[in-house]
Amino acid sequence: MDAAEFRRRGKEMVDYMADYLEEVENRPVYPNVEPGYLRALVPAEAPQKPQCYEDIMKDVETVIMPGVTHWQSPYFYAYFPANVSYPAILGDMLSSSLGCVGFSWAACPALTELESLTLDWLGKMLQLPECFIAGTKGSGGDVIEVTASETTLMSLLGGRAKAVNRIQIIDPQKSATEILSKLVAYTSEQAHSSVLCAGLVGMVKMKKVPTDHHYAVRGETLKKMVEEDKAAGLIPFYFCATLGTTPSCAFDNIAEIGPILIGYCLGFKGQRILETLGPAEIFSECATLMAEHFTAPQNMMVQRFMFYQRQQPEDESLIQYVDALHCLTSTCEFGHAEDRLIQSQLEEYAMDPWMQCMVREEPDRQTVADTVKWLRETLLGMLHLLSEMTTMKLATQLEKTALFADSFNFNPHKWFLVNFDCSAFWVKDRDDIIRAFKMEPVYLQYEGEESELVTDYRISMISMISNFRSLKLWFVIRMYGLEGLQAHIRKQVALAKEFESLVQKDKRFEICAKVVLGLVCFRIKGPNEPNQDLLKRITDCRKIHLVPCDLSGRFVLRFVICGITTESRHIQEAWEHIAQLTSELVQEAID
């Protein structure tokens, strides 16, 4: 194929792609094939001579398409959104044409710098604090990984290296092997299986933390586990919080978990961070401020946190990684007036006592008064991609996340109209990652690599190589703008609420978890068997596609708003289909 034929075939391919996306709802959403179907349709050996393009495209329809699960269909409600948009496709096409490999700044300066720039844009759209943003005077860092699985592993390995180094500074006689054998990490029992895999690969114990009736990790539960493990001689060092769990889109209670982790961190960092202001002075000044601004119950909680912090030895630290697996930005809105976060409420949260216990390594934040002022200014917009937020509880969790977390991740390739793969990862201190993974063979060294303006992404990812993923993110942000992305999210959340209302009207069904974003968990009331039968019938019909989850031993159906072209009529059709299959199931049971 030469350039002339490429031009012709490229135009044909764009037409084919556009036709597919426009007409995808006319295809059965789930394939009717058996395992191994494709081998029977293609030769066992590769062709010896070139084949024509027309024959290949015929095989796309006769061989490939029959086995495709159509994730872009408005009738696809399984797993999670994996939105494809035209701007993202164009960016991906350009990336493929350039064919750049970005393991260092010198390997492709534009690739490296655009990735850093777009993630700065994204972080600012979320209004993450400056400490996470690479393009500022702070120590933050960011990278586009393939998936959240990789970012989880990177954060765990970075935290592991940091924990080993800290302990060896205090006790040089301890070997890394001895320390590693005692390290223990934590995550929700509802967390994605990739978190547990990270523990296996990182060769550390990963313990599942039980959740409450809303499937969220609570502070007291984690605290109890940490204290028990410490008493048993283990070394707690890492917690992976999830904002939007895979089964039910539950949010771990960062507001409760954060102070426990910060308690460990402040204990160890006292000499380095608080050089001019000792912990006792911080506690004293915070107590004075709280007496002026907070109620007795709030003061009691903070005094309790202060007492707990004082008990921590200076060699202990827990690192927190926040995984926003299911969420676009971990923020959303329902569109109801009573759920909107107004200015006065934001100011109230900005003066939260837990937040006042934070002192930053910044020249203008060396006193508690400076820190409180900074918090009041920063938290007014922290993590608000949308101009109107969802419930107060969700907003509170998110605001505290940026203060308590060492790293933060979410997937633009889910709800951000960027096709797979594109997983955004921010860290507060990029040196944590650099110290853990940096290697400098001669063939990768280049002039100017020590500049503060240079980022070598090979240090920040398992593969050590990045392609031009940032192009598709850059195209999407520029061609949709913040308002376009807001409209997309609001629409999909509204569709989820619409489906929830349909389920609630049918007395045969129950909602199994709070609907906070685009996921509805529901089931037929009663035992698991009818729900398993219902899902099998849905799958066999291939009109819509769902997958299940387990919540408290119950077999639950998950209904996720996924397709970019999904409209209200598709939701209505899906529910009518589910209701009809349920009626048939019930009638058969009666007969």
Side-chain angles (χ1 to χ4, degrees):
M1 180 179 287
D2 57 18
E5 185 180 2
F6 175 72
R7 291 177 189 275
R8 184 171 74 257
R9 299 306 186 187
K11 293 173 183 177
E12 292 174 2
M13 180 59 75
V14 168
D15 285 339
Y16 179 87
M17 293 161 65
D19 289 343
Y20 167 77
L21 291 173
E22 283 187 331
E23 300 169 4
V24 66
E25 70 175 272
N26 298 324
R27 297 176 183 260
V29 65
Y30 191 68
N32 185 17
V33 296
E34 297 294 330
Y37 89 96
L38 195 142
R39 286 185 176 274
L41 300 178
V42 298
E45 305 292 336
Q48 293 292 323
K49 295 183 179 181
Q51 297 182 342
C52 68
Y53 179 82
E54 287 83 359
D55 288 343
I56 296 172
M57 289 305 298
K58 287 179 182 177
D59 285 346
V60 168
E61 280 297 328
T62 59
V63 177
I64 303 302
M65 284 300 176
V68 170
T69 301
H70 297 286
W71 283 63
Q72 304 309 311
S73 170
Y75 298 112
F76 181 89
Y77 306 109
Y79 307 113
F80 52 83
N83 296 154
V84 168
S85 67
Y86 296 122
I89 294 172
L90 293 175
D92 225 4
M93 291 168 63
L94 179 57
S95 174
S96 297
S97 300
L98 295 175
C100 296
V101 179
F103 48 78
S104 70
W105 180 87
C108 185
L111 183 156
T112 299
E113 297 199 10
L114 186 65
E115 182 158 331
S116 181
L117 172 68
T118 52
L119 287 176
D120 280 359
W121 278 8
L122 197 53
K124 291 173 183 177
M125 290 168 70
L126 301 174
Q127 295 195 25
L128 289 172
E130 281 192 1
C131 56
F132 280 105
I133 307 300
T136 66
K137 61 182 180 180
S139 59
D142 47 37
V143 62
I144 299 177
E145 301 274 11
V146 177
T147 66
S149 303
E150 288 190 3
T151 67
T152 305
L153 180 58
M154 289 296 293
S155 68
L156 182 134
L157 294 177
R160 187 187 72 174
K162 191 172 184 177
V164 171
N165 181 62
R166 281 175 167 170
I167 294 170
Q168 287 184 325
I169 289 175
I170 296 167
D171 188 354
Q173 300 304 314
K174 283 190 176 181
S175 67
T177 302
E178 179 184 0
I179 297 168
L180 288 172
S181 69
K182 295 183 178 181
L183 291 180
V184 58
Y186 307 87
T187 192
S188 167
E189 63 181 358
Q190 298 289 315
H192 193 271
S193 58
S194 62
V195 182
L196 302 178
C197 287
L200 292 174
V201 175
M203 300 182 68
V204 298
K205 301 178 183 69
M206 179 70 74
K207 293 197 172 185
K208 296 182 181 180
V209 183
T211 57
D212 65 9
H213 64 287
H214 292 302
Y215 307 107
V217 171
R218 303 298 299 268
E220 284 298 320
T221 308
L222 177 61
K223 178 183 175 182
K224 181 181 178 182
M225 290 183 67
V226 169
E227 290 176 343
E228 289 175 351
D229 287 338
K230 286 175 57 187
L234 298 177
I235 305 172
F237 83 103
Y238 176 91
F239 175 72
C240 175
T242 302
L243 303 181
T245 58
T246 299
S248 64
C249 199
F251 281 59
D252 289 338
N253 198 314
I254 305 297
E256 294 179 358
I257 296 167
I260 294 173
L261 309 186
I262 293 299
Y264 283 92
C265 292
L266 287 180
F268 175 77
K269 294 181 179 179
Q271 293 179 346
R272 183 166 65 90
I273 293 183
L274 310 177
E275 292 177 351
T276 62
L277 194 63
E281 185 178 355
I282 290 177
F283 297 149
S284 176
E285 292 196 32
C286 281
T288 301
L289 287 168
M290 287 183 292
E292 297 174 358
H293 296 284
F294 300 105
T295 63
Q298 288 175 311
N299 271 303
M300 288 173 63
M301 286 192 293
V302 176
Q303 293 291 349
R304 187 167 160 225
F305 161 55
M306 292 178 179
F307 174 79
Y308 177 67
Q309 193 279 330
R310 287 193 185 104
Q311 315 308 311
Q312 306 308 314
E314 290 192 348
D315 63 340
E316 295 180 334
S317 177
L318 268 168
I319 291 170
Q320 179 169 213
Y321 162 77
V322 175
D323 180 8
L325 274 175
H326 187 81
C327 310
L328 163 65
T329 63
S330 300
T331 65
C332 201
E333 68 152 350
F334 292 155
H336 301 308
E338 62 268 27
D339 290 331
R340 292 175 182 170
L341 197 62
I342 61 175
Q343 181 79 3
S344 62
Q345 291 169 319
L346 276 171
E347 291 176 352
E348 178 183 346
Y349 286 116
M351 289 300 297
D352 188 294
W354 285 325
M355 297 178 184
Q356 294 181 15
C357 294
M358 299 295 294
V359 175
R360 301 287 178 181
E361 283 185 290
E362 298 290 342
D364 58 344
R365 301 176 201 149
Q366 289 301 306
T367 68
V368 170
D370 290 336
T371 304
V372 172
K373 179 182 177 182
W374 171 77
L375 289 172
R376 287 181 63 85
E377 294 172 351
T378 303
L379 293 179
L380 293 179
M382 188 180 297
L383 291 176
H384 295 170
L385 174 66
L386 303 179
S387 58
E388 298 143 10
M389 281 291 295
T390 181
T391 62
M392 287 301 307
K393 180 179 178 181
L394 177 57
T396 307
Q397 295 261 42
L398 298 170
E399 288 163 0
K400 294 179 187 300
T401 295
L403 289 176
F404 296 135
D406 294 280
S407 57
F408 182 80
N409 160 250
F410 85 89
N411 294 324
H413 63 230
K414 288 186 176 176
W415 227 7
F416 211 69
L417 303 176
V418 179
N419 53 295
F420 186 85
D421 53 279
C422 182
S423 186
F425 181 45
W426 289 270
V427 294
K428 272 185 179 174
D429 189 349
R430 56 181 174 267
D431 287 342
D432 289 345
I433 301 296
I434 292 173
R435 281 191 293 265
F437 299 103
K438 188 171 185 178
M439 296 184 181
E440 297 183 288
V442 173
Y443 52 81
L444 292 179
Q445 296 175 12
Y446 57 92
E447 185 177 352
E449 63 179 327
E450 297 303 322
S451 169
E452 293 183 358
L453 299 176
V454 164
T455 299
D456 285 341
Y457 281 119
R458 73 177 187 275
I459 301 170
S460 305
M461 53 182 59
I462 300 297
S463 65
M464 299 182 70
I465 292 177
S466 174
N467 63 23
F468 226 142
R469 296 187 189 95
S470 56
L471 276 173
K472 55 189 175 186
L473 181 59
W474 192 52
F475 271 52
V476 166
I477 293 175
R478 293 188 65 181
M479 296 188 74
Y480 277 92
L482 178 59
E483 292 180 356
L485 295 168
Q486 288 174 336
H488 169 66
I489 300 165
R490 290 168 179 160
K491 173 186 173 183
Q492 297 223 322
V493 173
L495 291 174
K497 299 300 289 184
E498 179 181 350
F499 183 81
E500 179 190 25
S501 67
L502 294 171
V503 175
Q504 290 173 330
K505 291 175 183 177
D506 192 323
K507 301 304 180 183
R508 299 174 297 180
F509 290 87
E510 61 182 337
I511 299 294
C512 304
K514 186 175 181 179
V515 179
V516 292
L517 294 175
L519 169 64
V520 182
C521 293
F522 72 105
R523 69 192 300 276
I524 301 173
K525 295 176 181 177
N528 287 334
E529 288 74 15
N531 291 282
Q532 293 167 339
D533 194 357
L534 174 59
L535 181 60
K536 185 178 185 307
R537 293 173 184 233
I538 291 172
T539 302
D540 290 344
C541 287
R542 295 178 172 81
K543 184 173 182 180
I544 63 175
H545 188 43
L546 279 68
V547 296
C549 69
D550 181 283
L551 294 176
S552 304
R554 297 176 299 171
F555 188 88
V556 174
L557 281 66
R558 298 170 72 259
F559 189 95
V560 190
I561 308 301
C562 294
I564 190 174
T565 59
T566 304
E567 302 289 348
S568 176
R569 68 178 178 86
H570 300 112
I571 302 301
Q572 297 287 338
E573 290 174 19
W575 175 247
E576 290 171 5
H577 181 59
I578 293 169
Q580 177 61 35
L581 291 177
T582 303
S583 297
E584 294 173 4
L585 189 157
V586 171
Q587 187 61 46
E588 290 177 11
I590 295 174
D591 295 341

